[in-house]
Amino acid sequence: MHGVDGWLRRALPGRCVFCLASLPGEAPWCAACFAGLPWNRPACDGCGEPQPSTQAGFRCGRCLRRPPAFDRARVPLRYTNEVAGLVQRFKFEASPRAGSLLLELLMTGLTPDAPAWPEALVAVPLHPRRARERGFDQALWLSRRLARRLGCPLVRAVRLRDTPSQRGLDRGERRSNLRAAFGVSAGLPGRVALVDDVMTTGATLEALAVACRRAGAREAEAWAVARTPLHDR
């Protein structure tokens, strides 16, 4: 498969990254494991919230009542099972193997029109103190490689406030916690995609979308690898 990091192939030559079965082609996974991943389908086109099959193709009631600050969400997977394990190894252990696999899954899960859509990418930034403590900025890592794959610039946003942890907060509390938390230099192009590893309620990406619109973006999409199902929050 074009674009998979070369070292990932070397680490597991000819083997599925999930089950270690022999592979006949270039893809890093077998067809059975790929089909069995927790794909986020159907999902709300507005916020990426997983939806029941009867709601396929419709926006959820929350987006109809209060549309998010971004125009749509592209989040191909659900944060559960194998995907949750990959994200945790990437985020907290800085595993480049897990990160490369998540990047490939994101690219594979995007609709055909998506790669040519953004004129720039904007990564969800960590506060400098949090980045120093963790020693790794997962959204920036993903965004740099994604920007190279798509051939578009990466614009750096800044976190203006070291906001308290979002863990345990509901949607409204998360929005309040992140109000005016981000800054982006003026002069953004018209179409930007905002990039994070996991989307929980969407509050972080909403706050960044607001900052991007103030900096000149007319349209903003939220891109993440995985969406946390409502019952898992």
mmCIF file of all heavy atoms in Angstrom, residues 143-179:
data_model
loop_
_atom_site.group_PDB
_atom_site.id
_atom_site.type_symbol
_atom_site.label_atom_id
_atom_site.label_comp_id
_atom_site.label_asym_id
_atom_site.label_seq_id
_atom_site.Cartn_x
_atom_site.Cartn_y
_atom_site.Cartn_z
ATOM 1 N N SER A 143 -0.158 15.088 12.193
ATOM 2 C CA SER A 143 -0.419 16.156 11.227
ATOM 3 C C SER A 143 0.764 16.398 10.304
ATOM 4 O O SER A 143 0.583 16.670 9.115
ATOM 5 C CB SER A 143 -0.784 17.454 11.964
ATOM 6 O OG SER A 143 -1.950 17.270 12.734
ATOM 7 N N ARG A 144 1.971 16.317 10.840
ATOM 8 C CA ARG A 144 3.152 16.512 9.989
ATOM 9 C C ARG A 144 3.209 15.471 8.882
ATOM 10 O O ARG A 144 3.453 15.784 7.713
ATOM 11 C CB ARG A 144 4.416 16.439 10.851
ATOM 12 C CG ARG A 144 4.724 17.719 11.615
ATOM 13 C CD ARG A 144 5.902 17.508 12.531
ATOM 14 N NE ARG A 144 6.338 18.778 13.128
ATOM 15 C CZ ARG A 144 7.074 18.870 14.226
ATOM 16 N NH1 ARG A 144 7.458 17.749 14.855
ATOM 17 N NH2 ARG A 144 7.431 20.043 14.702
ATOM 18 N N ARG A 145 2.971 14.241 9.237
ATOM 19 C CA ARG A 145 3.029 13.171 8.247
ATOM 20 C C ARG A 145 1.848 13.219 7.297
ATOM 21 O O ARG A 145 1.983 12.940 6.106
ATOM 22 C CB ARG A 145 3.128 11.833 8.974
ATOM 23 C CG ARG A 145 4.506 11.619 9.573
ATOM 24 C CD ARG A 145 4.510 10.678 10.767
ATOM 25 N NE ARG A 145 5.872 10.540 11.291
ATOM 26 C CZ ARG A 145 6.453 11.450 12.079
ATOM 27 N NH1 ARG A 145 5.798 12.552 12.431
ATOM 28 N NH2 ARG A 145 7.688 11.270 12.506
ATOM 29 N N LEU A 146 0.686 13.585 7.820
ATOM 30 C CA LEU A 146 -0.495 13.717 6.975
ATOM 31 C C LEU A 146 -0.317 14.848 5.977
ATOM 32 O O LEU A 146 -0.692 14.716 4.798
ATOM 33 C CB LEU A 146 -1.722 13.956 7.860
ATOM 34 C CG LEU A 146 -3.092 13.962 7.183
ATOM 35 C CD1 LEU A 146 -3.360 12.641 6.480
ATOM 36 C CD2 LEU A 146 -4.176 14.235 8.225
ATOM 37 N N ALA A 147 0.257 15.960 6.416
ATOM 38 C CA ALA A 147 0.492 17.092 5.509
ATOM 39 C C ALA A 147 1.427 16.698 4.367
ATOM 40 O O ALA A 147 1.216 17.083 3.217
ATOM 41 C CB ALA A 147 1.061 18.275 6.289
ATOM 42 N N ARG A 148 2.464 15.907 4.685
ATOM 43 C CA ARG A 148 3.373 15.456 3.626
ATOM 44 C C ARG A 148 2.638 14.543 2.651
ATOM 45 O O ARG A 148 2.836 14.633 1.440
ATOM 46 C CB ARG A 148 4.579 14.726 4.233
ATOM 47 C CG ARG A 148 5.564 15.643 4.911
ATOM 48 C CD ARG A 148 6.929 14.984 5.041
ATOM 49 N NE ARG A 148 6.906 13.841 5.949
ATOM 50 C CZ ARG A 148 7.194 13.918 7.241
ATOM 51 N NH1 ARG A 148 7.495 15.078 7.791
ATOM 52 N NH2 ARG A 148 7.174 12.830 7.985
ATOM 53 N N ARG A 149 1.793 13.675 3.175
ATOM 54 C CA ARG A 149 1.045 12.760 2.308
ATOM 55 C C ARG A 149 0.095 13.522 1.385
ATOM 56 O O ARG A 149 -0.078 13.162 0.218
ATOM 57 C CB ARG A 149 0.252 11.768 3.162
ATOM 58 C CG ARG A 149 1.094 10.784 3.944
ATOM 59 C CD ARG A 149 1.555 9.623 3.099
ATOM 60 N NE ARG A 149 0.464 8.769 2.685
ATOM 61 C CZ ARG A 149 -0.018 7.752 3.392
ATOM 62 N NH1 ARG A 149 0.506 7.476 4.572
ATOM 63 N NH2 ARG A 149 -1.001 7.014 2.931
ATOM 64 N N LEU A 150 -0.534 14.568 1.914
ATOM 65 C CA LEU A 150 -1.530 15.308 1.139
ATOM 66 C C LEU A 150 -0.906 16.422 0.301
ATOM 67 O O LEU A 150 -1.569 16.977 -0.577
ATOM 68 C CB LEU A 150 -2.579 15.913 2.071
ATOM 69 C CG LEU A 150 -3.367 14.935 2.954
ATOM 70 C CD1 LEU A 150 -4.417 15.684 3.760
ATOM 71 C CD2 LEU A 150 -4.020 13.847 2.124
ATOM 72 N N GLY A 151 0.334 16.775 0.592
ATOM 73 C CA GLY A 151 0.984 17.847 -0.149
ATOM 74 C C GLY A 151 0.419 19.217 0.162
ATOM 75 O O GLY A 151 0.358 20.085 -0.716
ATOM 76 N N CYS A 152 0.006 19.428 1.423
ATOM 77 C CA CYS A 152 -0.512 20.748 1.800
ATOM 78 C C CYS A 152 0.215 21.237 3.047
ATOM 79 O O CYS A 152 0.803 20.439 3.788
ATOM 80 C CB CYS A 152 -2.028 20.704 2.029
ATOM 81 S SG CYS A 152 -2.553 19.760 3.456
ATOM 82 N N PRO A 153 0.210 22.544 3.297
ATOM 83 C CA PRO A 153 0.964 23.076 4.439
ATOM 84 C C PRO A 153 0.312 22.733 5.769
ATOM 85 O O PRO A 153 -0.892 22.496 5.857
ATOM 86 C CB PRO A 153 0.946 24.591 4.196
ATOM 87 C CG PRO A 153 -0.245 24.831 3.342
ATOM 88 C CD PRO A 153 -0.404 23.615 2.483
ATOM 89 N N LEU A 154 1.150 22.714 6.795
ATOM 90 C CA LEU A 154 0.688 22.541 8.170
ATOM 91 C C LEU A 154 0.839 23.875 8.882
ATOM 92 O O LEU A 154 1.932 24.442 8.927
ATOM 93 C CB LEU A 154 1.510 21.462 8.876
ATOM 94 C CG LEU A 154 1.253 21.270 10.374
ATOM 95 C CD1 LEU A 154 -0.176 20.811 10.627
ATOM 96 C CD2 LEU A 154 2.253 20.273 10.960
ATOM 97 N N VAL A 155 -0.260 24.392 9.425
ATOM 98 C CA VAL A 155 -0.255 25.657 10.152
ATOM 99 C C VAL A 155 -0.269 25.355 11.649
ATOM 100 O O VAL A 155 -1.085 24.552 12.116
ATOM 101 C CB VAL A 155 -1.478 26.518 9.771
ATOM 102 C CG1 VAL A 155 -1.503 27.798 10.588
ATOM 103 C CG2 VAL A 155 -1.456 26.831 8.279
ATOM 104 N N ARG A 156 0.634 25.982 12.402
ATOM 105 C CA ARG A 156 0.725 25.715 13.830
ATOM 106 C C ARG A 156 -0.228 26.619 14.600
ATOM 107 O O ARG A 156 -0.195 27.845 14.473
ATOM 108 C CB ARG A 156 2.153 25.943 14.321
ATOM 109 C CG ARG A 156 3.177 25.005 13.715
ATOM 110 C CD ARG A 156 3.034 23.591 14.223
ATOM 111 N NE ARG A 156 3.292 23.482 15.637
ATOM 112 C CZ ARG A 156 4.496 23.271 16.168
ATOM 113 N NH1 ARG A 156 5.556 23.157 15.366
ATOM 114 N NH2 ARG A 156 4.664 23.154 17.464
ATOM 115 N N ALA A 157 -1.085 26.023 15.387
ATOM 116 C CA ALA A 157 -1.914 26.751 16.336
ATOM 117 C C ALA A 157 -1.196 26.761 17.683
ATOM 118 O O ALA A 157 -0.260 25.986 17.908
ATOM 119 C CB ALA A 157 -3.280 26.088 16.467
ATOM 120 N N VAL A 158 -1.623 27.638 18.573
ATOM 121 C CA VAL A 158 -1.037 27.689 19.919
ATOM 122 C C VAL A 158 -2.144 27.538 20.948
ATOM 123 O O VAL A 158 -3.292 27.954 20.728
ATOM 124 C CB VAL A 158 -0.260 28.997 20.169
ATOM 125 C CG1 VAL A 158 0.957 29.081 19.275
ATOM 126 C CG2 VAL A 158 -1.156 30.211 19.971
ATOM 127 N N ARG A 159 -1.788 26.934 22.053
ATOM 128 C CA ARG A 159 -2.715 26.800 23.176
ATOM 129 C C ARG A 159 -2.440 27.969 24.110
ATOM 130 O O ARG A 159 -1.350 28.084 24.677
ATOM 131 C CB ARG A 159 -2.493 25.470 23.895
ATOM 132 C CG ARG A 159 -3.654 25.088 24.789
ATOM 133 C CD ARG A 159 -3.947 23.629 24.594
ATOM 134 N NE ARG A 159 -5.171 23.220 25.274
ATOM 135 C CZ ARG A 159 -5.796 22.092 25.026
ATOM 136 N NH1 ARG A 159 -5.348 21.276 24.090
ATOM 137 N NH2 ARG A 159 -6.892 21.756 25.670
ATOM 138 N N LEU A 160 -3.413 28.858 24.235
ATOM 139 C CA LEU A 160 -3.216 30.085 24.991
ATOM 140 C C LEU A 160 -3.336 29.873 26.491
ATOM 141 O O LEU A 160 -2.780 30.632 27.278
ATOM 142 C CB LEU A 160 -4.248 31.135 24.545
ATOM 143 C CG LEU A 160 -4.216 31.483 23.055
ATOM 144 C CD1 LEU A 160 -5.348 32.444 22.721
ATOM 145 C CD2 LEU A 160 -2.871 32.086 22.674
ATOM 146 N N ARG A 161 -4.105 28.860 26.887
ATOM 147 C CA ARG A 161 -4.297 28.570 28.309
ATOM 148 C C ARG A 161 -4.039 27.093 28.558
ATOM 149 O O ARG A 161 -4.392 26.257 27.744
ATOM 150 C CB ARG A 161 -5.736 28.903 28.751
ATOM 151 C CG ARG A 161 -6.102 30.369 28.649
ATOM 152 C CD ARG A 161 -7.472 30.630 29.262
ATOM 153 N NE ARG A 161 -8.572 30.025 28.511
ATOM 154 C CZ ARG A 161 -9.295 28.987 28.904
ATOM 155 N NH1 ARG A 161 -9.032 28.386 30.057
ATOM 156 N NH2 ARG A 161 -10.294 28.523 28.168
ATOM 157 N N ASP A 162 -3.417 26.807 29.690
ATOM 158 C CA ASP A 162 -3.235 25.410 30.087
ATOM 159 C C ASP A 162 -4.519 24.969 30.788
ATOM 160 O O ASP A 162 -4.650 25.049 32.006
ATOM 161 C CB ASP A 162 -2.028 25.278 31.012
ATOM 162 C CG ASP A 162 -1.675 23.825 31.284
ATOM 163 O OD1 ASP A 162 -2.281 22.943 30.647
ATOM 164 O OD2 ASP A 162 -0.799 23.577 32.136
ATOM 165 N N THR A 163 -5.480 24.524 29.990
ATOM 166 C CA THR A 163 -6.809 24.207 30.518
ATOM 167 C C THR A 163 -6.766 22.948 31.372
ATOM 168 O O THR A 163 -5.969 22.034 31.126
ATOM 169 C CB THR A 163 -7.801 23.989 29.367
ATOM 170 O OG1 THR A 163 -7.272 23.001 28.476
ATOM 171 C CG2 THR A 163 -8.009 25.276 28.589
ATOM 172 N N PRO A 164 -7.626 22.860 32.389
ATOM 173 C CA PRO A 164 -7.707 21.634 33.187
ATOM 174 C C PRO A 164 -8.098 20.452 32.307
ATOM 175 O O PRO A 164 -8.635 20.612 31.219
ATOM 176 C CB PRO A 164 -8.815 21.952 34.207
ATOM 177 C CG PRO A 164 -8.900 23.442 34.244
ATOM 178 C CD PRO A 164 -8.536 23.906 32.878
ATOM 179 N N SER A 165 -7.843 19.258 32.805
ATOM 180 C CA SER A 165 -8.182 18.045 32.071
ATOM 181 C C SER A 165 -9.668 18.020 31.740
ATOM 182 O O SER A 165 -10.513 18.446 32.523
ATOM 183 C CB SER A 165 -7.821 16.811 32.901
ATOM 184 O OG SER A 165 -8.329 15.638 32.295
ATOM 185 N N GLN A 166 -9.976 17.497 30.546
ATOM 186 C CA GLN A 166 -11.360 17.369 30.116
ATOM 187 C C GLN A 166 -12.022 16.113 30.690
ATOM 188 O O GLN A 166 -13.237 15.954 30.579
ATOM 189 C CB GLN A 166 -11.409 17.271 28.579
ATOM 190 C CG GLN A 166 -10.878 18.502 27.864
ATOM 191 C CD GLN A 166 -11.927 19.583 27.759
ATOM 192 O OE1 GLN A 166 -12.206 20.293 28.716
ATOM 193 N NE2 GLN A 166 -12.537 19.696 26.612
ATOM 194 N N ARG A 167 -11.227 15.252 31.283
ATOM 195 C CA ARG A 167 -11.756 13.969 31.749
ATOM 196 C C ARG A 167 -12.850 14.183 32.794
ATOM 197 O O ARG A 167 -12.689 14.945 33.749
ATOM 198 C CB ARG A 167 -10.623 13.119 32.328
ATOM 199 C CG ARG A 167 -10.996 11.676 32.615
ATOM 200 C CD ARG A 167 -9.751 10.851 32.817
ATOM 201 N NE ARG A 167 -8.929 10.821 31.618
ATOM 202 C CZ ARG A 167 -7.635 10.552 31.621
ATOM 203 N NH1 ARG A 167 -6.999 10.323 32.747
ATOM 204 N NH2 ARG A 167 -6.962 10.522 30.485
ATOM 205 N N GLY A 168 -13.973 13.521 32.589
ATOM 206 C CA GLY A 168 -15.067 13.598 33.541
ATOM 207 C C GLY A 168 -16.021 14.757 33.305
ATOM 208 O O GLY A 168 -17.036 14.871 33.996
ATOM 209 N N LEU A 169 -15.724 15.631 32.318
ATOM 210 C CA LEU A 169 -16.593 16.772 32.047
ATOM 211 C C LEU A 169 -17.611 16.405 30.974
ATOM 212 O O LEU A 169 -17.315 15.645 30.059
ATOM 213 C CB LEU A 169 -15.769 17.974 31.572
ATOM 214 C CG LEU A 169 -14.664 18.484 32.506
ATOM 215 C CD1 LEU A 169 -13.992 19.703 31.900
ATOM 216 C CD2 LEU A 169 -15.220 18.809 33.888
ATOM 217 N N ASP A 170 -18.811 16.973 31.074
ATOM 218 C CA ASP A 170 -19.792 16.742 30.025
ATOM 219 C C ASP A 170 -19.544 17.719 28.878
ATOM 220 O O ASP A 170 -18.622 18.543 28.911
ATOM 221 C CB ASP A 170 -21.228 16.852 30.560
ATOM 222 C CG ASP A 170 -21.572 18.247 31.081
ATOM 223 O OD1 ASP A 170 -20.932 19.241 30.669
ATOM 224 O OD2 ASP A 170 -22.498 18.353 31.909
ATOM 225 N N ARG A 171 -20.379 17.649 27.845
ATOM 226 C CA ARG A 171 -20.159 18.443 26.638
ATOM 227 C C ARG A 171 -20.129 19.947 26.933
ATOM 228 O O ARG A 171 -19.247 20.673 26.468
ATOM 229 C CB ARG A 171 -21.258 18.129 25.612
ATOM 230 C CG ARG A 171 -21.045 18.742 24.239
ATOM 231 C CD ARG A 171 -22.217 18.407 23.339
ATOM 232 N NE ARG A 171 -22.353 16.977 23.146
ATOM 233 C CZ ARG A 171 -21.828 16.315 22.122
ATOM 234 N NH1 ARG A 171 -21.135 16.955 21.197
ATOM 235 N NH2 ARG A 171 -22.009 15.016 22.011
ATOM 236 N N GLY A 172 -21.101 20.421 27.700
ATOM 237 C CA GLY A 172 -21.154 21.846 28.005
ATOM 238 C C GLY A 172 -19.965 22.306 28.833
ATOM 239 O O GLY A 172 -19.413 23.392 28.600
ATOM 240 N N GLU A 173 -19.559 21.502 29.795
ATOM 241 C CA GLU A 173 -18.413 21.854 30.635
ATOM 242 C C GLU A 173 -17.122 21.867 29.819
ATOM 243 O O GLU A 173 -16.247 22.708 30.045
ATOM 244 C CB GLU A 173 -18.300 20.861 31.790
ATOM 245 C CG GLU A 173 -19.424 20.988 32.804
ATOM 246 C CD GLU A 173 -19.478 19.819 33.779
ATOM 247 O OE1 GLU A 173 -18.975 18.719 33.430
ATOM 248 O OE2 GLU A 173 -20.037 19.998 34.880
ATOM 249 N N ARG A 174 -17.028 20.947 28.868
ATOM 250 C CA ARG A 174 -15.847 20.925 28.010
ATOM 251 C C ARG A 174 -15.771 22.189 27.158
ATOM 252 O O ARG A 174 -14.700 22.769 26.960
ATOM 253 C CB ARG A 174 -15.862 19.687 27.115
ATOM 254 C CG ARG A 174 -15.492 18.401 27.843
ATOM 255 C CD ARG A 174 -15.724 17.174 26.989
ATOM 256 N NE ARG A 174 -15.349 15.971 27.695
ATOM 257 C CZ ARG A 174 -14.289 15.204 27.397
ATOM 258 N NH1 ARG A 174 -13.515 15.534 26.387
ATOM 259 N NH2 ARG A 174 -14.022 14.121 28.091
ATOM 260 N N ARG A 175 -16.923 22.613 26.624
ATOM 261 C CA ARG A 175 -16.938 23.845 25.815
ATOM 262 C C ARG A 175 -16.484 25.035 26.654
ATOM 263 O O ARG A 175 -15.699 25.875 26.214
ATOM 264 C CB ARG A 175 -18.335 24.084 25.263
ATOM 265 C CG ARG A 175 -18.712 23.199 24.086
ATOM 266 C CD ARG A 175 -19.861 23.813 23.311
ATOM 267 N NE ARG A 175 -20.312 22.939 22.248
ATOM 268 C CZ ARG A 175 -21.436 22.238 22.281
ATOM 269 N NH1 ARG A 175 -22.223 22.298 23.335
ATOM 270 N NH2 ARG A 175 -21.785 21.467 21.262
ATOM 271 N N SER A 176 -17.012 25.148 27.877
ATOM 272 C CA SER A 176 -16.643 26.261 28.750
ATOM 273 C C SER A 176 -15.159 26.213 29.098
ATOM 274 O O SER A 176 -14.471 27.243 29.136
ATOM 275 C CB SER A 176 -17.481 26.220 30.035
ATOM 276 O OG SER A 176 -18.847 26.375 29.742
ATOM 277 N N ASN A 177 -14.660 25.021 29.345
ATOM 278 C CA ASN A 177 -13.264 24.837 29.715
ATOM 279 C C ASN A 177 -12.326 25.303 28.601
ATOM 280 O O ASN A 177 -11.220 25.781 28.864
ATOM 281 C CB ASN A 177 -13.031 23.354 30.023
ATOM 282 C CG ASN A 177 -11.673 23.082 30.625
ATOM 283 O OD1 ASN A 177 -11.165 23.863 31.418
ATOM 284 N ND2 ASN A 177 -11.076 21.963 30.254
ATOM 285 N N LEU A 178 -12.772 25.178 27.328
ATOM 286 C CA LEU A 178 -11.906 25.461 26.187
ATOM 287 C C LEU A 178 -12.187 26.798 25.518
ATOM 288 O O LEU A 178 -11.593 27.105 24.483
ATOM 289 C CB LEU A 178 -12.057 24.339 25.154
ATOM 290 C CG LEU A 178 -11.439 23.003 25.573
ATOM 291 C CD1 LEU A 178 -12.010 21.864 24.760
ATOM 292 C CD2 LEU A 178 -9.928 23.053 25.438
ATOM 293 N N ARG A 179 -13.076 27.593 26.093
ATOM 294 C CA ARG A 179 -13.411 28.867 25.460
ATOM 295 C C ARG A 179 -12.161 29.750 25.364
ATOM 296 O O ARG A 179 -11.457 29.972 26.339
ATOM 297 C CB ARG A 179 -14.518 29.564 26.258
ATOM 298 C CG ARG A 179 -15.081 30.796 25.562
ATOM 299 C CD ARG A 179 -16.353 31.273 26.243
ATOM 300 N NE ARG A 179 -17.446 30.332 26.075
ATOM 301 C CZ ARG A 179 -18.095 29.744 27.079
ATOM 302 N NH1 ARG A 179 -17.755 29.997 28.329
ATOM 303 N NH2 ARG A 179 -19.092 28.894 26.842
#
